[in-house]
Amino acid sequence: MNKVSAAITAVGAYVPDFVLSNQVLETMVDTNDEWITTRTGIKERRLLKEPNKGTSHLAIKAAENLIDKANIDPKDIDLVIVATATPDMPVAATAVFVASEIGATNAFGYDLQAACSSFLYGMSTAASYIESGRYKKVLLIGADKMSSIIDYEDRTTCIIFGDGAGAVLFEPNTEGLGVQDEILRSDGIGREFLKIDAGGSILPASEETVKNKQHFVRQDGKTVFKYAVSNMADVSEQIMKRNNLNNEDVSWLIAHQANKRIIDATSRRMKLDDSKVLMNIERYGNTTSATLPLLMSDFENKLKKGDNIIFAAFGGGFTWGSMYLKWAYDSNSN
Ligand code: UT7
């Protein structure tokens, strides 16, 4: 009897039309294109500008893109997970609304929050449901409207983040494809270095917190950078060793797009050729929960059945990890 593994069988994505370029940011804060490009690799990012639309708008568009492309009946979906750090509302899970809007009327839904590692952790959760045999179709969406928590007067954060969404479908596989292994970690030391101070149960919203701009994300970039570089490289190297993979065996690195220098440090430690490192940070910036599925969508045509992919992420909390997955389909034949 073949063991059931959890494979990704379809992907979809959505980014809003509005482009915020480095050149426009130069007119908003004391920064310049050269600094942003050399320190981060980012050239532009997308922002959701339409009023009264939240993260669910991005998530629904990404899910609909997947459903159209893969020709799936949404009624067959068992579970919708939305990985996000910017839910529509603090209470009433975004995934529940998304599931209803896309016609997944037989599914249940919930949100998963682990900052920039939300999607990677979500892949672990979705895969476990499939491997256990409990569900057959799990839709995992990574979506964030980062512009809703960014202070566009703070040059240390507003140059980094953008809005976007991506979706993947997990299904059972009996050919040994899909998720092979994972290393997931977290460390509470991180919460001082990347956070939103107010709006939670410690410091609920008040006139004071709004006046003090405490509802925006703040980070100690230098410290986060140091932890990100060493931790993401460590787990990526470990997962290769544990699975007897050398740099030739690895087809692709799909890493969280926070800073090109962090990704470069990880791929150097893995001794990977640059051509195997998927990158789109220059176009979207850091879209938090959406970076990994946006990469899968943008480079879907390159991914071939049986390809060995290492995923890696690092985020606030701190949260981080890596996953080894064998790609399950050739997109041209899909
Ligand atoms: O996805 C979740 C996890 N988040 C991350 O992984 C982000 C990790 N951190 C980073 O990517 C980087 O630390 C940043 C991109 C945020 C900052 O880059 P850095 O190379 O660490 O710069 P820095 O904070 O050390 O600042 C260097 C200099 C400073 O000036 P002085 O003190 O040397 O005079 C900053 O004030 O650059 C200045 N600076 C800027 N200059 C122009 C900071 N932000 C800007 C800016 N434009 N936007």
Side-chain angles (χ1 to χ4, degrees), residues 34-321:
E34 207 255 327
W35 192 95
I36 301 173
T37 307
T38 52
R39 304 311 290 166
T40 71
I42 303 166
K43 284 286 190 190
E44 57 187 42
R45 56 296 287 142
R46 302 299 185 100
L47 266 50
L48 176 57
K49 286 287 199 180
E50 290 161 69
N52 304 317
K53 290 206 190 308
T55 293
S56 63
H57 178 73
L58 306 167
I60 289 164
K61 294 268 193 196
E64 286 174 346
N65 178 237
L66 179 151
I67 288 165
D68 285 350
K69 271 170 54 187
N71 199 17
I72 285 158
D73 182 350
K75 291 196 181 58
D76 292 338
I77 297 169
D78 301 306
L79 164 61
V80 177
I81 301 173
V82 173
T84 186
T86 54
D88 282 2
M89 309 167 186
V91 174
T94 305
V96 174
F97 179 67
V98 171
S100 294
E101 289 295 303
I102 62 173
T105 47
N106 294 313
F108 70 106
Y110 61 85
D111 297 348
L112 194 153
Q113 211 286 61
C116 290
S117 304
S118 300
F119 192 85
L120 186 75
Y121 284 15
M123 287 173 70
S124 171
T125 306
S128 304
Y129 281 120
I130 298 291
E131 288 158 1
S132 70
R134 190 170 291 207
Y135 300 113
K136 298 275 181 274
K137 280 186 172 24
V138 178
L139 182 66
L140 172 65
I141 306 169
D144 268 304
K145 183 182 169 185
M146 293 305 292
S147 59
S148 66
I149 54 169
I150 294 297
D151 174 2
Y152 285 94
E153 292 178 349
D154 175 5
R155 69 174 182 172
T156 68
T157 52
C158 73
I159 55 132
I160 298 172
F161 293 98
D163 303 340
V168 302
L169 187 69
F170 276 91
E171 290 186 278
N173 182 282
T174 51
E175 296 177 88
L177 301 169
V179 175
Q180 306 293 309
D181 195 13
E182 68 182 30
I183 300 173
L184 303 182
R185 295 280 181 269
S186 66
D187 185 345
I189 194 176
R191 100 164 174 175
E192 287 313 309
F193 304 117
L194 176 46
K195 61 178 173 175
I196 297 175
D197 275 319
S201 54
I202 293 179
L203 187 59
S206 68
E207 223 174 290
E208 195 72 8
T209 61
V210 172
K211 205 172 76 211
N212 294 338
K213 301 177 107 185
Q214 287 173 291
H215 294 271
F216 293 121
V217 71
R218 304 284 175 207
Q219 77 165 339
D220 173 348
K222 240 190 179 75
T223 305
V224 177
F225 185 89
K226 270 190 220 145
Y227 277 94
V229 163
S230 63
N231 286 326
M232 216 161 88
D234 281 353
V235 287
S236 304
E237 196 182 28
Q238 272 170 28
I239 207 159
M240 282 174 70
K241 277 209 179 108
R242 198 155 96 172
N243 290 279
N244 298 315
L245 297 170
N246 63 33
N247 55 350
E248 297 288 316
D249 302 322
V250 173
S251 316
W252 310 105
L253 170 65
I254 298 188
H256 174 55
Q257 307 282 291
N259 186 318
K260 183 173 182 301
R261 290 184 292 143
I262 299 173
I263 303 163
D264 288 344
T266 301
S267 67
R268 264 200 304 278
R269 185 90 81 79
M270 296 165 74
K271 301 189 173 59
L272 276 195
D273 193 85
D274 281 353
S275 63
K276 294 183 170 187
V277 182
L278 301 188
M279 198 94 75
N280 58 12
I281 190 169
E282 68 284 358
R283 283 181 288 143
Y284 308 134
N286 182 349
T287 54
T288 302
S289 311
T291 58
L292 301 183
L294 274 173
L295 283 169
M296 282 184 262
S297 175
D298 279 1
F299 295 98
E300 190 182 13
N301 285 334
K302 281 184 177 247
L303 309 177
K304 299 288 170 237
K305 188 172 176 177
D307 278 359
N308 288 320
I309 304 179
I310 302 294
F311 290 87
F314 184 88
F318 294 127
T319 54
W320 72 98

